[in-house]
Amino acid sequence: MRRKKIKLEGFNNLTKSLSFNIYDVCYARTREDLNSYLAYIDEAYNADRLVQILKDVTEIINANILNIAHQDYEPHGASVTMLIAEGDVPPGGVEETPQEPGPLPEAIVGHLDKSHITVHTYPEIHPTRGISTFRADIDVSTCGHISPLKALNYLIHSFESDIVIIDYRVRGFTRDTDGTKHFIDHDINSIQEFMSEDTKTTYQMMDVNVYGEQMFHTKMRLKEFAVGNYLFNVKAEDLSEREYTSIEEEIDHELTEIFHG
């Protein structure tokens, strides 16, 4: 059942925050290959690329960009922060958050503005085991009737996401014309409700939700596990059986540790 539209006394003061930790795991045989992988990540997810991703997010959630700050770092990583603002509040009260999933990267539509969006990247390598883990932290925080949940599917598919850890929280309260406080203005039982079918079939998921506090948490891990998808500068068929098994165990161990925290 859809929540009835709320007529507010003034502005919608609810803050809706969507936070991602996105992980990409890779294996390289030599230190030189590991350094090449880090160089690839720094190029693929440099500040300019991240700015474009966040611009797309602002269009999806219907916000307007007020300010952009971005920086590439030495030796690795990049950060982008956008201050965004909401457009006109729809007449007649607060629009409900749409229940249907938002768009995928190839289908961006819309126009947005409000609050802030940030992304920070953290490439790192294991000193002895050939494992490298790239992490991107993304926060989309909005006020008013616009919802960061619309950007959910786009962000998941914009990165090479082996594991995704998502937190969604609605903070504060807004007041209707009768003076009643409302601590949430849309229906939600799980973040998974706002994911596309493609996302749901690709990942295994686990929820931890605290409904009374408007806090929702979902962990995602790719269902398909093929060693060849995690190798950098080497093919699976070029590995000995013993080396293949060893690498498979290393990658699975890394993914399992990250997923279960």
Side-chain angles (χ1 to χ4, degrees), residues 69-139:
H70 59 89
Q71 181 66 52
D72 288 303
Y73 298 111
E74 289 290 345
H76 306 291
S79 295
V80 177
T81 300
M82 284 187 181
L83 185 64
I84 57 176
E86 185 181 87
D88 295 333
V89 176
V94 179
E95 252 182 24
E96 302 161 16
T97 300
Q99 200 70 17
E100 67 273 8
L104 299 177
E106 65 272 16
I108 302 165
V109 292
H111 178 114
L112 39 123
D113 47 13
K114 182 78 192 184
S115 204
H116 69 270
I117 308 175
T118 63
V119 58
H120 307 283
T121 66
Y122 303 90
E124 63 88 42
I125 58 176
H126 192 287
T128 61
R129 295 182 180 173
I131 291 287
S132 179
T133 302
F134 166 66
R135 185 179 104 236
D137 291 352
I138 304 167
D139 292 285

Side-chain angles (χ1 to χ4, degrees), residues 143-162:
C143 296
H145 72 279
I146 63 175
S147 172
L149 290 168
K150 289 183 178 180
L152 191 63
N153 294 291
Y154 174 79
L155 286 170
I156 291 170
H157 289 269
S158 291
F159 295 82
E160 296 174 355
S161 308
D162 296 317

Side-chain angles (χ1 to χ4, degrees), residues 8 10-16 89 94 143-145 173-174 185:
L8 298 182
F11 182 70
N12 185 349
N13 292 311
L14 291 172
T15 298
K16 302 161 188 175
V89 176
V94 179
C143 296
H145 72 279
F173 65 86
T174 194
D185 62 357

